[in-house]
Amino acid sequence: MRIITGKYKGRHFDIPRTFKARPTTDFAKENIFNVLVQYVDFDGAEALDLFSGTGSISLELVSRGCSRVISVEQDRDHHRFIQDCMKKLNDQTCIPIRGDVFRFLKSCKQQFDFIFADPPYALKELATLPDVVFERQLLKEEALFVLEHGKDYDFSNHPHFVEHRQYGSVNFTLFR
């Protein structure tokens, strides 16, 4: 796993083979971030990374200048891996939280400039994530929510739908 751009550009982190997480491919990550820079100024932004897995997106957000990134991951080993990556960077910008994403969202009182969610594609509640984010008013005005998902989902009729991008088997839907 590598950081695409920013102050930590090119840094690599070896993901343990025992991990169940499916990190966003470098190809998909690079392409979606090329789109996102048209919507979000990451410099100084406050971001939320849900279902963080390996922390690939959180690391990218930190590298691109976010002032604060909250990274929510339930798996103990993955959470520890994210903490270790941040220690290696000697960067306090990311706050890794170990816990259930839906519980976190239910109790969250903060608003964000950017939210990214990469849930397991088989998660039965996946389709509810956009509604939860908007019902809880977790986005600041003009902020963006990006949901990574499999090909079986179509959010084009959602009232906050902005656009859909597909890179190989990876799908991203942008909401505002």
Side-chain angles (χ1 to χ4, degrees):
M1 173 178 77
R2 74 179 169 95
I3 298 175
I4 305 297
T5 197
K7 63 183 174 183
Y8 301 121
K9 178 181 179 177
R11 294 287 298 265
H12 287 265
F13 297 90
D14 294 323
I15 301 168
R17 294 174 194 225
T18 58
F19 274 24
K20 300 169 283 208
R22 166 198 35 78
T24 303
T25 64
D26 286 349
F27 172 75
K29 183 170 63 171
E30 184 168 5
N31 280 290
I32 194 62
F33 270 95
N34 286 340
V35 172
L36 295 178
V37 296
Q38 300 169 34
Y39 292 99
V40 181
D41 179 4
F42 291 106
D43 192 35
E46 293 184 88
L48 176 61
D49 182 13
L50 302 170
F51 305 96
S52 300
T54 61
S56 173
I57 299 298
S58 292
L59 288 164
E60 193 69 36
L61 292 168
V62 167
S63 184
R64 289 172 183 258
C66 285
S67 63
R68 185 168 148 197
V69 177
I70 295 177
S71 175
V72 183
E73 173 55 46
Q74 187 166 355
D75 184 276
R76 175 181 45 105
D77 294 332
H78 298 183
H79 175 260
R80 186 176 304 123
F81 180 76
I82 295 167
Q83 287 178 312
D84 291 345
C85 289
M86 294 304 162
K87 284 180 187 170
K88 288 177 184 174
L89 294 177
N90 195 24
D91 195 306
Q92 307 295 313
T93 305
C94 182
I95 302 165
I97 295 175
R98 182 171 170 236
D100 177 79
V101 164
F102 289 97
R103 280 194 193 142
F104 174 84
L105 292 174
K106 190 175 183 179
S107 65
C108 184
K109 305 287 187 230
Q110 182 179 349
Q111 289 188 316
F112 299 90
D113 299 295
F114 179 73
I115 300 175
F116 187 93
D118 181 10
Y121 288 1
L123 181 73
K124 64 181 179 181
E125 300 94 343
L126 187 148
T128 68
L129 278 165
D131 292 331
V132 171
V133 166
F134 287 99
E135 286 168 7
R136 299 285 309 146
Q137 300 178 355
L138 298 173
L139 290 172
K140 294 177 183 176
E141 193 172 327
E142 296 302 312
L144 192 70
F145 169 53
V146 176
L147 176 60
E148 183 175 334
H149 56 86
K151 66 180 181 342
D152 298 332
Y153 292 92
D154 178 6
F155 294 97
S156 60
N157 290 323
H158 193 279
H160 295 280
F161 174 83
V162 174
E163 70 174 285
H164 172 261
R165 295 290 178 123
Q166 181 176 355
Y167 305 104
S169 62
V170 182
N171 290 265
F172 298 97
T173 300
L174 286 62
F175 302 88
R176 180 173 260 168

